[in-house]
Each structure stands twice: as structure tokens, then as C-alpha cells.
Amino acid sequence: MSEDLSRCAIHTMTNKPWSLAQCCAKYAAAGVGGISIWRNTVAPEEGGVGLDEAVKIVKGSGLAVPAYVRGGFFPAPGSAERQKAIDHNKTMLDEAAALGADQVVLVVGAVPGMALSDSRQQVRDGIAACLDHAKAVHVKLSIEPLHPMYAGDKSCINRIAEAREICEALNADADGHLGVAVDVYHVWWDPDLDAEIDKLGKGGWLLGFHVCDWRLETRHLLTDRGLMGDGCIDIAGIRKKVEAAGFHGFNEVEVFSEQYWAMNQDDYLDLVLERYQQV
Ligand code: ZN
């Protein structure tokens, strides 16, 4: 059942204990095709190595970079804060371009106490304000709907439908630079999943596909994702659907897990790749 790893990409956060250089070296040595880079490995203010050094490491590895993670967080009570978020996303677009990333993933944000509908409007306005910059640097923006358990403070967009509506509304301005990242962890439960994947495909908005699993007894809302095969998501079935909808990009492994971060990361990478090929 094994398949080659050329379309496998791994998010640096999956191997959180490793540096960017370690991730690049280990993934490339294992035959993995791509790396999705979290900003904490790049930006000095987040503990990263700095953009110039990161670019050197990534280009030297020969790995493709499907995604730079994660922009977004547009809604805020005041206009100055909203502008700050827009500026931050433009900075991330510049960094993504330097790293050769195809897209910046947007975790769109939410503000406790603000109506989700208002937040969504601010997200739409924020994305609209970034589109010219995205086009100028040739990097796409992909909206990642997050599971509703994050609606309080992380994402006012919880189903593909809301993300797709923004893509539709901004389609003319976006000129192919706006779409959706489908993460099985967030959307596997959606009764409209099949129809929405179809619509994304038809609109040309299906930009990313993230895999992990939903543990039946989740111990933590953020850092207890399962590895493919640990849980109850029909990953192979969803993958078939995104491929039928015309998606031929990377399958990005994105697992945040205290349990797996505590493992020897070389052993863990072997396990990740074993599960990727089995599941
Ligand atoms: Zn994801």
C-alpha cells in the first residue's frame, strides 16, 4: 500500500522540537517533497532564525513550500488594530514570497464578545485589503475554516461554506490569489463537506489539504491532534473527494500533539511517514 512521498509535505509544527534546519534536513533525507513553514521558525521575534537564514536553509534543502503559516487574525474592536493585522499579513506575504511559498494560510480570527457575523465582515474586509499585495508578490491567501470549538477566539469561519462565500465575493479582485485550505481535522464533521469540496474545485479555490486525525477522546483542544489512523476521520475518503474536485497539490501533515512532541523526533518522523503511506 505504500506510495511515494513526493506529494507529502510536513508542517514544521508537527516536529515542534526541531529547528527549521533540522526539519528541512530530515524531511529531505526521508524523501518528503515539501515543508510547510510556521512563522515561529523564521521570525526572530517568535524565536526563529531570521528570514535571510531561513531562505538559505529552505532553498538549500530543495523542498517545495506549499504553505507559510499562519496569517489572518483580522477582526479587532478598533480600526488601528485592524490595520495592524492587515500590515502583518502583508509582511507575511513578503516573507512567504522570499521563502518560495505558494500560499499564506489564514486562521482568520475572532473576538470574544463580538458577533461572529461582524467578525466575518471584518475578515472579508481585511482579506480584501491584502489582495493587491498578494498579487504583487505572487503568493496566494488561503482561508482555513477552523472547527467550531475555536469560534470563541480563533476563527469566526468554521465551515467551508463561509470561506467559499468570501472567495466568491472577492473573486474578481483576487484573480486566482484567494482560496481555501481544507484541513480534515476542522471540517470532517460538516454535512455539506462533499458538496462544498465540489464547489471549491469548480471555483478554482481548493488551495490546500491538511491531514491529521480526530482522537475520540480528545484531551486538549489545541495540542492533542491524532496522527493519521489514531482517530475517526475518513481521511482516504476525503482525499479522494478533493482529488476528484481537481486538487493535485501536497497532502500536508499537520499534527500538534504534546504526546508526539515528547517522542524521539526521528522515531516519530518514521511513524508519521508510515501512517501517511498506510492511511
Ligand atoms: Zn491546518
Side-chain angles (χ1 to χ4, degrees):
M1 291 302 283
S2 92
E3 61 172 73
D4 86 281
L5 299 169
S6 60
R7 281 187 54 206
C8 173
I10 302 179
H11 280 239
T12 54
M13 196 54 91
T14 301
N15 293 105
K16 188 181 171 191
W18 277 347
S19 67
L20 181 62
Q22 283 175 304
C23 287
C24 281
K26 306 276 188 181
Y27 300 166
V32 168
I35 183 168
S36 287
I37 300 171
W38 278 62
R39 190 169 192 260
N40 68 310
T41 66
V42 175
E45 69 269 26
E46 297 182 27
V49 293
L51 184 60
D52 291 348
E53 181 64 17
V55 168
K56 216 180 295 169
I57 292 167
V58 173
K59 302 263 162 162
S61 73
L63 294 167
V65 187
Y68 188 45
V69 193
R70 55 196 177 150
F73 295 99
F74 292 106
S79 59
E81 290 163 281
R82 292 198 291 276
Q83 186 56 48
K84 207 171 146 196
I86 289 165
D87 294 341
H88 180 70
N89 279 279
K90 289 181 179 174
T91 300
M92 283 199 69
L93 282 164
D94 291 337
E95 292 168 353
L99 291 162
D102 177 63
Q103 62 194 266
V104 169
V105 172
L106 303 176
V107 168
V108 297
V111 178
M114 186 190 291
L116 290 173
S117 53
D118 292 345
S119 293
R120 280 185 211 115
Q121 184 59 48
Q122 292 185 3
V123 168
R124 181 173 148 173
D125 294 345
I127 291 173
C130 293
L131 284 177
D132 280 346
H133 202 81
K135 286 186 279 189
V137 299
H138 307 293
V139 175
K140 296 167 197 145
L141 294 168
S142 61
I143 305 169
E144 179 164 353
L146 257 53
H147 191 281
M149 68 182 173
Y150 301 117
D153 60 352
K154 283 198 171 53
S155 182
C156 60
I157 292 182
N158 310 104
R159 301 183 307 160
I160 295 175
E162 282 82 44
R164 190 243 317 145
E165 282 162 14
I166 292 180
C167 293
E168 281 173 355
L170 301 177
N171 200 35
D173 282 345
D175 192 23
H177 289 74
L178 177 62
V180 177
V182 171
D183 185 325
V184 298
Y185 188 75
H186 297 301
V187 300
W188 67 277
W189 54 273
D190 186 345
D192 298 326
L193 184 62
D194 295 10
E196 287 296 337
I197 286 174
D198 228 44
K199 286 180 193 170
L200 291 183
K202 290 203 172 85
W205 301 311
L206 191 39
L207 299 186
F209 182 54
H210 303 177
V211 296
C212 63
D213 213 338
W214 183 275
R215 284 175 40 86
L216 272 182
E217 293 178 20
T218 290
R219 296 162 293 195
H220 190 280
L221 296 187
L222 205 55
T223 56
D224 194 32
R225 289 193 184 203
L227 197 53
M228 299 78 76
D230 284 345
C232 59
I233 301 179
D234 175 20
I235 300 166
I238 299 175
R239 178 175 168 185
K240 274 201 198 94
K241 281 163 202 152
V242 298
E243 288 178 354
F247 179 77
H248 300 295
F250 282 90
N251 303 301
E252 301 174 42
V253 178
E254 186 188 28
V255 179
F256 324 130
S257 165
E258 297 289 353
Q259 178 190 328
Y260 288 124
W261 289 332
M263 269 181 79
N264 171 297
Q265 294 296 292
D266 286 297
D267 294 343
Y268 175 43
L269 180 59
D270 288 344
L271 182 63
V272 168
L273 298 178
E274 188 186 308
R275 294 292 188 84
Y276 178 89
Q277 291 172 315
Q278 281 171 359
V279 183

